[in-house]
Amino acid sequence: MRHVRHVGAVLVLGIAACGGVPGAGGASAATTTAGSAENATKGAGETGDVIPKAPESQRPNRCAKGGPFPPLLAKPKPATEPKPLPCHASDKVAESSVAAEMRAQFKPTRPGSTLDVSFGCDGLDPPITKLVYERGAGHGSQLEIVQISRPDPAGASYDVIGIRESSPFVSKPKAAPFQITRGKIPTDAVHARMPFVRAALKATLREVLPKSGLTGYASFGSSSTVHVLVRIEDAAGRSIEKRYSDAVSSDGQGQYLPLLRADAEIRQLVDKLSWQDEPASGDVLELFEERFLAAMVESPTPDAWWVRAAYQELAGLAGARSLVPSLLELLGAPRPEGRSDGWQRDQEAAMEALAKLTGWDPRKDEKGATRPIDAAARDFVAECGKVSPAAR
């Protein structure tokens, strides 16, 4: 009888481990006899494990160990923006300053050529209620996102929030992988810089070639890559946005020189901000979601794949689980014909972020060997795609 009791206990534990009887609530009682125990022992010896596996629907999802993905905090963008306003009087002092700097910084590609600098109108109300600024570099994939906003048009200050990836070149024990900032900037300080920012965003640079015969061509290139984005909005939601994500070279001067001037003005406002090692939540997480989604839609040039990679890396570091469905969409993109370096880097960055956000990594098999990128991507999409985001 001692042998029989032992086998019966094994069966009870086996059934309990499988979740009990499907459809039965609470604890379940299991009864066995010597005959049934002997039959079970005989069957196990002949056919192997007789304990049935849990149905697929009852297995815990490997991609959602932290529960359903939280809803996006970022609000959907309106389908259309209000119509631009008629041109208003421009700030001649700011335009003259920007034009002079553009002529000083621009490097002609033809001997004897000159630079024409003109300014359009941005169609915005003079009071700017929001400024979004992004800055990054290809070496180290640093990314910094800052928003300066004033919900109250009569407020004495602008609210500032931001998130950035910690610099890989700073050796600090136990340094956090990212930082956030919250603060205020006096309204007068923002208003003093805004005319120059607006003039830079409205500037158009055009190299005027000499009328005489062309005698040569000069160009320059660099391994230095830069990402600068500046977006300004008025109270009605009208906006103007300019960005440059590429190498510093002769071909891109007309785009990046005005943005670097706007960058210099904004740095006067944000360089004194205090950055802290704190979790990303609330309005900071909402800002990051908003900029992440915009970056995934408005792809940079093919050679600037590192911008998207920096966004995805920061998503994983900041624990932005709300972006898992968006990352899955990236993995669902088919491999393009011809050169696919950028596509593969995008896939690798998305899977790295997903592994951090879910705690599950199908890029390795059970023995630790690296699996094909396509197979790992399919597993991420199949498993994580079963999880629906929580309701907003």
Side-chain angles (χ1 to χ4, degrees), residues 22-41:
S28 302
T31 305
T32 185
T33 64
S36 61
E38 291 173 356
N39 291 336
T41 304

Side-chain angles (χ1 to χ4, degrees), residues 62-87:
R62 294 166 290 179
C63 192
K65 298 176 182 177
F69 308 130
L72 290 169
L73 297 173
K75 302 174 182 63
K77 286 187 177 182
T80 58
E81 289 187 0
K83 292 183 178 180
L85 295 175
C87 293

Side-chain angles (χ1 to χ4, degrees), residues 210-230:
K211 295 181 179 179
S212 58
L214 301 177
T215 58
Y217 178 77
S219 65
F220 67 89
S222 170
S223 62
S224 175
T225 53
V226 63
H227 168 70
V228 180
L229 179 146
V230 179

Side-chain angles (χ1 to χ4, degrees), residues 73 145-147 158-164 178-185 270 272-287:
L73 297 173
I145 306 169
V146 175
Q147 176 179 284
Y158 278 75
D159 297 329
V160 184
I161 56 174
I163 182 171
R164 71 181 184 186
F178 70 94
Q179 298 175 312
I180 70 167
T181 186
R182 296 180 186 274
K184 293 184 179 294
I185 299 177
V270 303
K272 296 180 181 179
L273 294 175
S274 176
W275 293 84
Q276 307 296 328
D277 299 341
E278 296 180 11
S281 61
D283 51 0
V284 172
L285 184 56
E286 180 179 351
L287 171 64

Side-chain angles (χ1 to χ4, degrees), residues 74-367:
K75 302 174 182 63
K77 286 187 177 182
T80 58
E81 289 187 0
K83 292 183 178 180
L85 295 175
C87 293
H88 53 78
S90 59
D91 191 310
K92 297 301 182 182
V93 173
E95 290 184 355
S96 177
S97 173
V98 170
E101 182 170 342
M102 296 301 97
R103 294 189 180 99
Q105 296 292 329
F106 188 86
K107 297 179 180 179
T109 62
R110 305 292 178 118
S113 66
T114 58
L115 181 68
D116 176 72
V117 183
S118 59
F119 298 90
C121 58
D122 53 28
L124 308 183
D125 261 341
I128 298 301
T129 59
K130 182 187 293 185
L131 182 151
V132 176
Y133 166 71
E134 297 179 9
R135 189 186 198 191
H139 296 295
S141 299
Q142 304 107 301
L143 179 64
E144 179 178 320
I145 306 169
V146 175
Q147 176 179 284
I148 302 173
S149 63
R150 187 174 63 155
D152 179 5
S157 62
Y158 278 75
D159 297 329
V160 184
I161 56 174
I163 182 171
R164 71 181 184 186
E165 189 171 354
S166 299
S167 173
F169 305 113
V170 177
S171 57
K172 180 181 177 183
K174 298 182 180 180
F178 70 94
Q179 298 175 312
I180 70 167
T181 186
R182 296 180 186 274
K184 293 184 179 294
I185 299 177
T187 294
D188 291 345
V190 176
H191 286 179
R193 301 291 174 184
M194 196 57 65
F196 298 94
V197 173
R198 296 181 73 161
L201 296 182
K202 295 187 296 180
T204 299
L205 278 57
R206 183 174 66 90
E207 185 175 10
V208 181
L209 303 179
K211 295 181 179 179
S212 58
L214 301 177
T215 58
Y217 178 77
S219 65
F220 67 89
S222 170
S223 62
S224 175
T225 53
V226 63
H227 168 70
V228 180
L229 179 146
V230 179
R231 176 186 178 90
I232 55 177
E233 298 180 12
D234 64 12
R238 304 178 190 90
S239 66
I240 179 174
E241 178 179 308
K242 294 292 181 66
R243 66 179 295 166
Y244 184 81
S245 305
D246 212 335
V248 176
S249 66
S250 53
D251 292 340
Q253 292 182 94
Q255 295 175 270
Y256 68 74
L257 284 178
L259 272 170
L260 290 182
R261 173 58 191 269
D263 172 271
E265 296 292 337
I266 298 170
R267 298 310 303 180
Q268 296 294 318
L269 298 172
V270 303
D271 273 351
K272 296 180 181 179
L273 294 175
S274 176
W275 293 84
Q276 307 296 328
D277 299 341
E278 296 180 11
S281 61
D283 51 0
V284 172
L285 184 56
E286 180 179 351
L287 171 64
F288 178 70
E289 289 177 352
E290 177 185 304
R291 299 315 308 163
F292 177 95
L293 296 174
M296 296 304 111
V297 173
E298 302 163 5
S299 301
T301 55
D303 290 336
W305 56 268
W306 52 270
V307 178
R308 290 164 66 94
Y311 269 106
Q312 294 174 75
E313 182 176 13
L314 188 50
L317 296 175
R321 295 182 68 245
S322 55
L323 294 173
V324 168
S326 300
L327 290 165
L328 295 178
E329 290 182 12
L330 295 176
L331 288 186
R335 184 189 293 269
E337 296 182 2
R339 182 179 176 183
S340 60
D341 294 353
W343 174 87
Q344 180 158 337
R345 291 183 178 120
D346 215 21
Q347 298 281 296
E348 292 170 349
M351 285 191 280
E352 179 67 23
L354 284 169
K356 286 186 172 69
L357 293 172
T358 66
W360 175 58
D361 193 351
R363 294 174 297 177
K364 302 283 187 180
D365 63 19
E366 295 178 354
K367 297 181 179 180

